[in-house]
Amino acid sequence: MTGLDYSVVTVALPEIGRDLGFATAGSLQWVATACLLPTASLLPLFSRLSDIIGRRRLFTLGVALFSAFSLLAAAAAGPAMLLAARVGQGASAAMIAPTAIALLTTAFPDGPRRTRALGVNGAVLSLGFVLGTLGGGVITSGLDWRWTMLFLTAIGTLVLLGAVAVLPRNDTRAPARLDVPGAVLASIGLFALVYGISTGAGGGWAGVPALGSLSLAAVSLAAFFQVERRHPAPLVPLGLLNRPTVKWSGLIGFITLGMCGGTTVLLSLYMQDVLGYSPLATGAAFLAEGTTALIGGTLAARLIAAWGKAGVMTFGLSVQGIGTGAMILLPSQDGLPLLLLTSGAMGFGHVLTVVAFITTMTSGLRDDEQGTAGGLSQLPQFLGGIGTAGLAAIVAARTEATGDTLAGLHTATLTAGAVCLAGAALAALLLRR
């Protein structure tokens, strides 16, 4: 549901702008950003709350609120009402993301069964993103953008029924009080960081909004770590954060998510601006990435059993890097066969890496730490916008220098491939033990 949300809304943005009368393309982009900001900034808070008040309870509340805010978005009469609903969806997603992982990792014992479950989870998330891109094009072409929100409401209702019927009622709860200063500083810091990245990518890094936001993020996050050192029940225990399996697998997750997310945006630009595809055709072209991601998710547990988690991270990032780097060969026309091959390789390697890094990050922990670890495993997905912004900056600079958009895309995809291969080397060096 949360994977579908971002991609289905991105495809529907032009029609939303026309129907609700958004003034500019910049203001329309807030339809996506208004959901992203609260999700990223509230993730640590709700990760810790899930350990304190119970994961089933917080997950169920998050799904119910997400469904309700999706219904509100479908009924939006103007930009303000839609943006308010999107903020609510983002806050609800911050409840769902960490508790979903924590419920999964506590339901399945550490070992092959948990790895298989995480493999299914990774495959479904990736497939949800791609199907959202395709479904958004189908819905907006044949119906109305409001049906995308009604679709999310329907899925949320089904998930809510499943949560009530299936999830175990004996929630694990930690007898601890909430670290309020840490929660406030983490939320401010992450909000400012994501806002600064979004503003800098769209309006220039030297502008006051971007510099001010990034400066506030640096100060807030530095203060957060100081508070965490002294608090008796920290929001994110530094001992957990300093575990090699947590910090190094988190770095690998940041690399794979940042480079895959950024490259996916570049491929959309390539298909629509260079090849001249419609939004619906663009969504259909992403099916290769979704199909190989599904295959990767189903194979991940077997490969981890055979090669180990570090070995699969190394292999997955290598495949992702080779597939991404090979996009430098994409032509200005008739590029579909190579596009399907390279994007398919990227999706396959990416999902293997995601399953392996989340398995590594959540292994060897107590049940009362799984909520926090679940939030940490989801954080690279939202901080991956740094990778998207960096690749977009490379495209802009190269295009300005050469006057050729395709040259900019080639340089950016080659850079993304090199970063993935560097990440594969880091996984082999830092996590092999």
Side-chain angles (χ1 to χ4, degrees), residues 163-196:
V164 172
V166 174
L167 290 179
R169 298 181 179 275
N170 53 336
D171 257 349
T172 300
R173 297 170 65 177
R177 59 191 178 92
L178 182 64
D179 171 16
V180 176
V184 171
L185 288 169
S187 297
I188 292 174
L190 290 171
F191 184 97
L193 177 60
V194 176
Y195 179 78

Side-chain angles (χ1 to χ4, degrees), residues 112-117 119 296-306 352 355:
R113 292 185 65 210
R114 179 186 293 179
T115 304
R116 284 198 297 272
T298 57
L299 293 177
R302 297 179 188 177
L303 294 179
I304 288 173
L352 287 180
V355 174

Side-chain angles (χ1 to χ4, degrees), residues 17-62:
R18 289 190 296 269
D19 187 38
L20 296 184
F22 278 83
T24 63
S27 63
L28 181 59
Q29 190 58 39
W30 276 99
V31 176
T33 306
C35 186
L36 176 64
L37 285 172
T39 306
S41 57
L42 295 174
L43 205 57
L45 170 62
F46 287 127
S47 300
R48 185 56 177 157
L49 274 178
S50 73
D51 288 331
I52 296 174
I53 70 173
R55 291 155 200 157
R56 180 182 185 274
R57 185 177 303 170
L58 189 62
F59 178 83
T60 305
L61 175 62

Side-chain angles (χ1 to χ4, degrees), residues 31-212:
V31 176
T33 306
C35 186
L36 176 64
L37 285 172
T39 306
S41 57
L42 295 174
L43 205 57
L45 170 62
F46 287 127
S47 300
R48 185 56 177 157
L49 274 178
S50 73
D51 288 331
I52 296 174
I53 70 173
R55 291 155 200 157
R56 180 182 185 274
R57 185 177 303 170
L58 189 62
F59 178 83
T60 305
L61 175 62
V63 173
L65 288 175
F66 191 96
S67 303
F69 281 117
S70 297
L71 189 60
L72 181 64
M81 185 175 176
L82 178 62
L83 293 179
R86 294 293 291 162
V87 170
Q89 285 179 305
S92 305
M95 299 180 190
I96 296 169
T99 51
I101 292 293
L103 284 165
L104 191 152
T105 54
T106 51
F108 296 94
D110 198 351
R113 292 185 65 210
R114 179 186 293 179
T115 304
R116 284 198 297 272
L118 286 170
V120 173
N121 176 73
V124 169
L125 284 174
S126 298
L127 192 61
F129 175 83
V130 176
L131 290 180
T133 305
L134 181 60
V138 172
I139 291 172
T140 54
S141 298
L143 295 169
D144 180 87
W145 71 267
R146 297 178 190 275
W147 283 94
T148 62
M149 295 298 161
L150 292 173
F151 185 52
L152 292 172
T153 303
I155 295 176
T157 302
L158 290 174
V159 173
L160 188 61
L161 292 172
V164 172
V166 174
L167 290 179
R169 298 181 179 275
N170 53 336
D171 257 349
T172 300
R173 297 170 65 177
R177 59 191 178 92
L178 182 64
D179 171 16
V180 176
V184 171
L185 288 169
S187 297
I188 292 174
L190 290 171
F191 184 97
L193 177 60
V194 176
Y195 179 78
I197 294 167
S198 302
T199 304
W205 298 101
V208 173
L211 287 177

Side-chain angles (χ1 to χ4, degrees), residues 337-394:
L338 184 59
L339 172 67
L340 295 177
L341 180 63
T342 54
S343 65
M346 180 182 73
F348 180 76
H350 169 66
V351 169
L352 287 180
T353 308
V354 168
V355 174
F357 103 77
I358 294 180
T359 303
T360 303
M361 185 174 279
T362 55
S363 295
L365 303 179
R366 303 189 308 270
D367 278 358
D368 62 354
E369 295 175 317
Q370 290 293 345
T372 303
L376 291 174
S377 72
Q378 298 299 296
L379 201 54
Q381 177 179 347
F382 302 102
L383 298 185
I386 297 172
T388 303
L391 294 179
I394 292 172

